[in-house]
Amino acid sequence: MSSTTRRGLLLSALIVLGWLISLISLLGIDITQQPWLALGVAVLLRTVLQTGLFIVGHDAMHGVLIPAEPRWNHRLGGLALYLYGALPYEVCRRNHQRHHQVPATADDPDFHDAGGTGAMAWYRTFMARYLTAGQMLRLLTSWGVLAVIARAHSSSGWINVLLFCTLPLLLSSLQLFIVGTYLPHRNQRAPLHRANPDSLDWPTWLSLLACFHFGYHREHHDNPALAWFELPQAQRCRRALANP
């Protein structure tokens, strides 16, 4: 097993464990006894970890998580996407492969080139292509079970689920769309029609917090076999070549 694979698995385990521990810890608290600032920080933490789950699943879609063990690679990717939002892994994988094969075309499931429409119209189209009745049923069932469990430990049980499960998922979907789809691909729409996606020129620390380096999108499209934590180095190399 390579050092990159070991590092990727360790970071993936930390993301999943952080997500589980934060979920268990926050479901049982009485939010009426907590300061608003603490609740806001908790929601932001849950949002970052939620996005991290998708990034783990995304690396698995590209076979990057455990390259030598495809079966386990896709199993772990499926688990990450299920925890993220009850997403069907194989459907997401096929759509994402299509996105890389024909980016910014009418056949790209992630692209929206309706002239004059803004980010929110694109976001609605983007979400409509991935949300299904089955997924929503699984999500609502999961949240219902969590609400029953939380209610046994706190009078604000169902509100805890909305605050620490539903809201982070919504914020994470916006985060992934804006940083990972809209900003990198918007200049490929009419009238510019650029050939390649953009990379956001953000410092490494901000890129990490914003979306686990998903904004370094040109580097990802140029080399999808790179793990998410390898993208900053790839961007530094591209900058060095562009500005010798």
Side-chain angles (χ1 to χ4, degrees), residues 3-213:
S3 60
T4 299
T5 299
R6 287 195 297 270
R7 183 183 178 190
L9 287 174
L10 174 61
L11 291 172
S12 297
L14 291 174
I15 290 169
V16 172
L17 284 174
W19 186 87
L20 289 171
I21 291 170
S22 64
L23 175 65
I24 294 168
S25 302
L26 292 168
L27 278 183
I29 68 171
D30 185 348
I31 62 172
T32 63
Q33 302 300 315
Q34 307 301 321
W36 285 106
L37 179 59
L39 292 175
V41 170
V43 170
L44 290 177
L45 173 63
R46 286 285 298 162
T47 301
V48 169
L49 292 169
Q50 195 80 24
T51 299
L53 287 177
F54 184 88
I55 298 300
V56 172
H58 171 262
D59 270 14
M61 291 181 212
H62 287 289
V64 175
L65 203 56
I66 317 177
E69 297 287 346
R71 181 178 298 179
W72 280 105
N73 175 89
H74 296 310
R75 283 177 177 173
L76 292 176
L79 173 63
L81 288 193
Y82 190 87
L83 292 177
Y84 174 78
L87 290 170
Y89 178 76
E90 286 301 329
V91 172
C92 290
R93 184 177 171 222
R94 286 195 299 271
N95 283 344
H96 193 65
Q97 288 173 339
R98 191 69 176 161
H99 168 66
H100 277 266
Q101 291 164 354
V102 287
T105 69
D107 294 324
D108 178 356
D110 294 350
F111 196 64
H112 182 60
D113 199 19
T117 59
M120 291 313 297
W122 189 341
Y123 175 70
R124 288 193 297 270
T125 303
F126 178 84
M127 294 301 293
R129 289 170 178 165
Y130 283 91
L131 291 176
T132 65
Q135 182 211 0
M136 292 305 300
L137 179 60
R138 291 191 295 271
L139 263 180
L140 292 173
T141 301
S142 300
W143 289 341
V145 171
L146 289 175
V148 171
I149 296 172
R151 181 66 177 172
H153 299 278
S154 170
S155 59
S156 59
W158 67 271
I159 301 178
N160 289 32
V161 173
L162 290 176
L163 196 61
F164 302 124
C165 295
T166 309
L167 182 57
L169 178 58
L170 176 60
L171 293 175
S172 173
S173 71
L174 284 167
Q175 183 182 8
L176 286 162
F177 169 74
I178 292 171
V179 179
T181 297
Y182 178 71
L183 292 178
H185 289 288
R186 61 179 173 170
N187 286 327
Q188 294 181 278
R189 306 172 83 188
L192 295 178
H193 285 306
R194 289 186 185 172
N196 297 306
D198 294 326
S199 268
L200 305 184
D201 190 19
W202 293 350
T204 303
W205 67 269
L206 180 58
S207 173
L208 174 63
L209 291 177
C211 203
F212 290 83
H213 306 308

